[in-house]
Structure formats: structure tokens, C-alpha cells
Amino acid sequence: IKRVLLLSDPTQGMGSLASEECDSIEAAIDLAQELRLPLEWIPVSSGARIAMDSGTEKLDATARVVRRIVEFTQAGGTIHVIVAGVNVGAQSYWDSLSTMLMHTKGALIMTQGASMVLTGRAALEASGAVSAEDESAIGGFERIMGPNGEAQYFATDLGDAYRILYEHYRYTYVVPGESSPRGIQSGDPADRDVTLDACDGDFARVGDIFDDETNPGRKRPFPMREVMAAVVDRDGGALERWRNWVGAEMAIVQDAHLGGVPVTMIGIESQNVARDGFRPQDGPGSWTGGTLFPLSSKKVARALNAASGNRPVVILANLSGFDGSPESMRKLQLE
């Protein structure tokens, strides 16, 4: 597996980004494009360098990187970001442009204690704005980036982050010159009866979900993840993306192997899910099974875009439709 590795050096000026660092980042993106390889980026940076002797030169340089990231990703290039420390200002912008826009395919993995913030805690307090006790509380995975869907995977440390990234590569990595990720020689029998798999909840087996005797009219809710686990190759693994996205729980996105072929599998949760936090009067009291709400719709759209041109998508459809409440319409459901 070949790729281009880009590392910050926080021992030099808190990892601040002068024009020379920006030139190096552009060169790394150029190399990844030339070799048709993904770019792996492990940033720890205080953002654009602020100095009295350089004026706005550094902002011009960071803007050039913005342009290069957008050009590279729109042309099909992939940037994977592992946030293993504090990212401030321009670096946080770059992380988002690389992995959060609707056309991007790269993974964003955050480690425990890492953060992506626009402005640090001390600067926020000095300006009289709303702050928090530390950078993690402003832009860490647990309270901010995981629940809002901007960070896609959580890792306990850098080693765990690379374990996740290597697992992600199992389903997504394309060797230069080839058209799609390589399959595996699965030992899972093609004629295995998935209905015999055990199922948690009200059903003893997955097959009971589809049996008129145990589930008349197929009206009873069931655990979709159990069905997905039964369908995918037993020896192919499965990696769930955006699992901590609050409000998007009705859509389940996993990368896995099916018949040895890497696929993105999308399932629609069948069971009602309780809502956390504030609930407006014109919105549903819980996320209803078999229904797509705005953030679940967005998760499906991001999954389809991430897989597009790379691997097939398999949808286990248990969908009655979109939610059309005033709240959902106000939150861009049609978009």
C-alpha cells in the first residue's frame, strides 16, 4: 500500500504555518496527484503564523493550500486526516475541506484528547466570546465533532487511529492503475443461509424477521445491525462510519465485504430511537423506525458520495420514506 504521508512538526513554533510550510503541503498534494495515491495527513498545528514582520503573507499562503485541497479532492483525490493533537484556525479549515465536504471521500479520525477549533480557548476568553474549559470541550470528538458528524471515527490513540485507517483501506484502497479496490478470497460459503443467524431482541433468528408466523405483516421492529452482520462475509470484517452522529441514527453506514467484494452497506434502522437534547414543538418526539430525518438523509448522501466511483453500494431497504414534519422541512430535508 503506497501513499504520501504529511506530518506536522509542533516542536517548531507550535506547528504554525508560514509560507514555507504551505509550500511543502502543496508539494505533498502535487506528489499524491502525480502518483495517484491517497494523502495521509497527521496535523498538529496552531494555524497560520502570526508575526509583525510578515503581514498577510501567511494568509495568502494558507489560501493557496485551500485552493489546492479543493482542486485535488474535486478531481477525485483522497485525503485522510488523523487528528492526534490540537488543530487551530487554518489547520482546522484544511481538515474540513479535506474530509467534510459533500464531494470528499477521505476519512477523518480523531483521537482522545485531540481537537479541531477555529480559535483557542484563551483567545476566545480575551475577546469576550463564549469559551469552554479547554480545547477538547470546544472541538473534541466526544462533545462536538463526533455528535455533529464532522469526525467520522474515534480512536483511543495514534496506534488505534492507524488500525482504523488500515481497516478503512481494506475496503477502499485502489492500487494505481487499477479501477477499484481489490477483493478478498472469502471463505464464507456463497450458499450460507443468513436466516439461521442469531438475532438479539424479540427474534431468535434473523429469519424470524421475515416469517409471517413470528412477524405477521413484518410490522415488528428489528435490529438492523444484526441483519447487516448476517449478510456480510464472516471473514471480511465491517467498519461503521459516522456511528456517533447524533440525529443521524436512523441510517447505518458500514464498509464490508460481500462475496469477497468491498462494498458500502447502508441499512435503515427499524427501531425507534429516543431523541437527545432539545426537541422543538413541531418535530417528532423520537426518531421513527424506517424513516429518514434530515441528518440521516445527509449521512446517506455522504456515504453514497464517498463510495461513488470506488466500490458498490448495497442498501438493505426498510424505508417507509422521509419525515415531512415542519422541523424536518426547516432543516433542509428536501435538499
Side-chain angles (χ1 to χ4, degrees):
I1 299 179
K2 295 181 179 180
R3 60 261 198 227
V4 175
L5 180 62
L6 180 57
L7 302 170
S8 295
D9 183 3
T11 67
Q12 302 293 322
M14 297 175 63
S16 62
L17 302 159
S19 56
E20 293 81 6
E21 281 80 17
C22 293
D23 291 342
S24 297
I25 293 167
E26 287 188 85
I29 296 173
D30 291 342
L31 180 62
Q33 186 164 31
E34 178 186 350
L35 299 179
R36 298 165 64 186
L37 297 175
L39 177 70
E40 288 176 15
W41 198 343
I42 306 181
V44 181
S45 172
S46 60
R49 181 172 179 266
I50 300 174
M52 293 298 292
D53 60 349
S54 60
T56 60
E57 172 202 351
K58 311 311 176 193
L59 297 181
D60 292 340
T62 57
R64 290 202 313 270
V65 175
V66 165
R67 174 179 174 175
R68 196 69 193 89
I69 290 172
V70 171
E71 289 175 342
F72 178 64
T73 55
Q74 285 189 336
T78 301
I79 301 175
H80 301 299
V81 178
I82 297 177
V83 181
V86 177
N87 285 194
V88 182
Q91 187 62 63
S92 296
Y93 301 148
W94 294 346
D95 297 347
S96 66
L97 290 167
S98 300
T99 61
M100 298 177 196
L101 302 186
M102 287 301 291
H103 70 276
T104 56
K105 301 179 184 296
L108 177 62
I109 305 168
M110 289 191 73
T111 62
Q112 194 169 14
S115 61
M116 291 184 290
V117 299
L118 299 182
T119 305
R121 175 187 58 81
L124 280 174
E125 291 177 348
S127 67
V130 177
S131 183
E133 61 269 23
D134 53 29
E135 269 66 32
S136 293
I138 302 172
F141 183 93
E142 186 175 358
R143 285 170 58 175
I144 306 294
M145 297 301 170
N148 72 11
E150 291 183 323
Q152 302 167 19
Y153 302 105
F154 172 76
T156 55
D157 53 32
L158 189 56
D160 189 39
Y162 257 100
R163 178 194 62 78
I164 293 170
L165 183 57
Y166 287 146
E167 182 74 5
H168 182 79
Y169 277 142
R170 291 189 68 208
Y171 314 111
T172 64
Y173 185 84
V174 178
V175 176
E178 299 184 7
S179 60
S180 61
R182 292 180 177 179
I184 62 170
Q185 293 295 324
S186 176
D188 194 1
D191 59 354
R192 174 173 61 86
D193 188 350
V194 301
T195 64
L196 301 179
D197 277 34
C199 184
D200 290 340
D202 296 334
F203 301 100
R205 301 175 307 156
V206 169
D208 293 341
I209 297 170
F210 308 99
D211 192 324
D212 274 337
E213 291 186 9
T214 54
N215 189 12
R218 298 182 185 176
K219 298 296 186 183
R220 295 170 60 191
F222 61 88
M224 176 55 80
R225 285 184 177 86
E226 299 287 325
V227 178
M228 297 171 75
V231 171
V232 302
D233 293 348
R234 293 191 186 280
D235 54 1
L239 182 63
E240 184 166 346
R241 202 167 184 176
W242 301 293
R243 177 152 192 167
N244 297 88
W245 194 347
V246 173
E249 294 93 340
M250 303 317 295
I252 304 168
V253 177
Q254 295 180 355
D255 288 303
H257 286 93
L258 193 60
V261 178
V263 301
T264 288
M265 181 169 286
I266 298 174
I268 309 301
E269 184 58 83
S270 168
Q271 305 175 98
N272 289 2
V273 176
R275 292 188 65 169
D276 292 332
F278 172 76
R279 180 179 67 84
Q281 292 296 319
D282 58 359
S286 64
W287 306 125
T288 312
T291 306
L292 278 181
F293 297 87
L295 291 181
S296 296
S297 303
K298 187 173 183 179
K299 184 194 283 190
V300 172
R302 290 182 70 178
L304 292 172
N305 281 323
S308 181
N310 181 270
R311 56 199 181 278
V313 174
V314 177
I315 300 178
L316 302 186
N318 180 52
L319 180 62
S320 59
F322 297 96
D323 177 63
S325 68
E327 180 195 15
S328 291
M329 298 300 285
R330 189 171 63 250
K331 292 186 175 179
L332 313 182
Q333 179 71 293
L334 281 178
E335 181 181 321

